Amino acid sequence: NQVLLLKRKSTGFGDGEYGFVGGHVEKNEEIKRAIIRETKEEIGIEIKEQNLKFRSVLNRKVNDNIEYIDFVFMAKEWTGNIKNMEQGKCSELIWCDINNLPQNIIDFEKYLIENKDTFITWGW
């Protein structure tokens, strides 16, 4: 019942708020490979593809010009020690009980934690 959250800073999105480890898929990059890469870049751990468990997909509308498809996976096993690898973009890493989340969490990510649906829409 724990989730690892990072406190964003100097990114231009959600600065001062807690959110998931994550990022964008690069050209010619499969989603699970992007998750493995982003996790290594942001918190320094190695996750094997077979240890990623699909959680949900979020079809999110930011405004009339920006829409995202977010894929959420969980990992319960990894190697290495979790540490803040991007101190310019993250001021803190915290483990939170999913039933006691911080007030300043990114709104749609809080919704993802609290809902068990595998397909969610936001902002439409």
Side-chain angles (χ1 to χ4, degrees), residues 24-30 34 37-38 41:
H24 294 97
V25 176
E26 294 179 353
K27 184 177 180 180
N28 294 319
E29 185 176 45
E30 189 269 335
R37 176 186 51 77
E38 288 284 355
E41 290 174 2

Side-chain angles (χ1 to χ4, degrees), residues 42-112:
E42 293 185 13
I43 60 172
I45 62 172
E46 300 272 351
I47 299 175
K48 292 182 180 177
E49 191 170 322
Q50 66 263 27
N51 291 331
L52 288 171
K53 181 182 176 195
F54 174 76
R55 171 64 170 78
S56 57
V57 65
L58 171 68
N59 180 210
R60 176 167 55 100
K61 183 173 183 172
V62 177
N63 58 43
D64 287 340
N65 298 316
I66 301 173
E67 300 165 7
Y68 289 101
I69 304 284
D70 299 312
F71 292 87
V72 181
F73 284 77
M74 297 179 350
K76 293 185 179 183
E77 294 181 36
W78 58 83
T79 57
N81 296 314
I82 294 171
K83 59 184 173 182
N84 184 356
M85 302 295 290
E86 295 186 323
Q87 294 183 11
K89 296 179 181 179
C90 172
S91 62
E92 179 182 21
L93 294 170
I94 60 170
W95 283 101
C96 294
D97 184 301
I98 60 171
N99 298 307
N100 189 25
L101 298 170
Q103 293 294 317
N104 57 330
I105 185 172
I106 295 170
D107 54 3
F108 65 87
E109 293 187 2
K110 179 180 181 190
Y111 188 82
L112 283 165

Side-chain angles (χ1 to χ4, degrees), residues 6-11 13-19 89 91 103-106:
L6 55 84
K7 191 172 189 181
R8 302 176 61 88
K9 76 171 185 179
S10 303
T11 67
F13 171 75
D15 294 332
E17 295 182 304
Y18 289 97
K89 296 179 181 179
S91 62
Q103 293 294 317
N104 57 330
I105 185 172
I106 295 170

